[in-house]
């Protein structure tokens, strides 16, 4: 799983060789809800705990403002008034980075599960940031839950930031010396030197 703002740190041949050597491994970051098992609600839980109308889900300024107001009205990020709790699926949710690489058996299991449990897909239509929970929860529901390792994308976050830094050529060497295959995020309007490498 990559995006248009990702940049390969290895050649295509080396990336293919890596997956051949790690055949049968799921690369996905995950942690459970309730603050990593401390049973205290946090803003990750809130994403799935209340109903978010589809029109509120987006990056437009007015959507962000109304969505934040809705979160506060329903109890804030660290709690939810009972009256606003949506009907849950009866499963434990997991969260993590959007960037993952899953083996074929896991993908096949996920596709079969979604086909036989349409309520799962429907539930996430009204959750925020579903890409940071949808697949992670399914992997942990699957028979392959114990066959996971970390994700393969190099990121750099400023302390307290919600999004990773835009990386430049200055970051490239450090990223290449890391264990990761891909780095994000890059923006050619900020630094297009990647095109020359």
């Amino acid at each position: 799983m990559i995006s248009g703002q990702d940049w390969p740190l290895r050649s295509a041949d080396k990336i293919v060789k890596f997956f051949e050597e790690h055949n049968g491994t799921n690369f996905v970051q995950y942690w459970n809800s309730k603050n990593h098992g401390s049973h205290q609600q946090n803003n990750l839980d809130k994403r799935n705990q209340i109903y978010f109308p589809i029109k509120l889900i987006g990056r437009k300024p007015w959507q962000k403002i109304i969505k934040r107001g809705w979160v506060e009205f329903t109890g804030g990020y660290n709690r939810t008034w009972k009256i606003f709790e949506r009907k849950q699926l009866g499963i434990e949710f997991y969260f993590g980075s959007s960037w993952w690489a899953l083996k074929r058996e896991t993908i096949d299991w996920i596709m079969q599960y979604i086909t036989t449990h349409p309520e799962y897909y429907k539930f996430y239509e009204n959750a925020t940031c579903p890409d940071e929970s949808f697949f992670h929860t399914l992997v942990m529901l699957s028979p392959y839950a114990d066959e996971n390792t970390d994700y393969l994308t190099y990121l750099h976050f400023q302390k307290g930031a919600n999004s990773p830094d835009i990386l430049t050529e200055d970051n490239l060497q450090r990223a290449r010396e890391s264990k990761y295959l891909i780095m994000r995020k890059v923006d050619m309007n900020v630094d297009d030197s990647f095109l020359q490498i």
Side-chain angles (χ1 to χ4, degrees), residues 8-111:
L9 294 171
R10 314 282 181 248
S11 69
D13 287 342
K14 287 185 177 179
I15 291 175
V16 170
K17 184 178 180 181
F18 176 89
F19 284 115
E20 288 175 345
E21 292 174 349
H22 295 84
N23 186 31
T25 303
N26 291 315
F27 291 92
V28 56
Q29 175 199 60
Y30 65 91
W31 55 82
N32 64 353
S33 60
K34 303 298 182 187
N35 278 331
H36 305 260
S38 69
H39 304 292
Q40 296 176 359
Q41 182 174 307
N42 62 17
N43 62 351
L44 296 177
D45 301 301
K46 194 76 175 191
R47 294 176 178 183
N48 295 346
Q49 199 169 51
I50 64 173
Y51 181 92
F52 287 92
I54 291 177
K55 289 185 178 180
L56 293 187
I57 300 173
R59 295 183 174 272
K60 295 177 181 177
W62 69 267
Q63 290 172 315
K64 292 181 178 180
I65 292 170
I66 296 176
K67 184 171 66 176
R68 179 58 187 265
W70 175 236
V71 167
E72 293 299 331
F73 182 72
T74 59
Y77 279 114
N78 295 314
R79 67 181 174 189
T80 297
W81 307 119
K82 276 283 185 184
I83 192 174
F84 293 109
E85 287 185 8
R86 66 189 296 203
K87 183 179 179 181
Q88 298 293 293
L89 296 173
I91 59 177
E92 184 173 9
F93 293 111
Y94 288 81
F95 301 88
S97 169
S98 303
W99 319 110
W100 43 258
L102 302 177
K103 65 180 183 177
R104 179 59 181 266
E105 293 87 347
T106 306
I107 293 294
D108 288 343
W109 185 93
I110 286 173
M111 295 303 295

Side-chain angles (χ1 to χ4, degrees), residues 69-185:
W70 175 236
V71 167
E72 293 299 331
F73 182 72
T74 59
Y77 279 114
N78 295 314
R79 67 181 174 189
T80 297
W81 307 119
K82 276 283 185 184
I83 192 174
F84 293 109
E85 287 185 8
R86 66 189 296 203
K87 183 179 179 181
Q88 298 293 293
L89 296 173
I91 59 177
E92 184 173 9
F93 293 111
Y94 288 81
F95 301 88
S97 169
S98 303
W99 319 110
W100 43 258
L102 302 177
K103 65 180 183 177
R104 179 59 181 266
E105 293 87 347
T106 306
I107 293 294
D108 288 343
W109 185 93
I110 286 173
M111 295 303 295
Q112 182 180 9
Y113 185 90
I114 292 173
T115 300
T116 56
H117 295 81
E119 72 280 2
Y120 184 88
Y121 185 87
K122 186 70 177 175
F123 180 89
Y124 274 96
E125 287 183 349
N126 299 103
T128 59
C129 304
D131 56 321
E132 296 179 358
S133 176
F134 185 95
F135 290 100
H136 312 73
T137 300
L138 287 172
V139 169
M140 296 305 291
L141 278 173
S142 79
Y144 311 107
D146 295 329
E147 302 176 15
N148 309 308
T149 185
D150 207 351
Y151 60 94
L152 302 172
T153 303
Y154 177 90
L155 304 163
H156 186 270
F157 283 86
Q158 296 289 338
K159 186 176 181 180
N162 291 323
S163 298
D165 292 345
I166 294 175
L167 303 178
T168 65
E169 186 177 6
D170 294 338
N171 305 108
L172 186 59
Q173 188 58 38
R174 183 181 301 170
R176 282 184 168 166
E177 291 172 355
S178 73
K179 64 180 180 179
Y180 301 104
L181 301 183
I182 303 290
M183 73 176 193
R184 80 175 317 268
K185 51 188 177 180

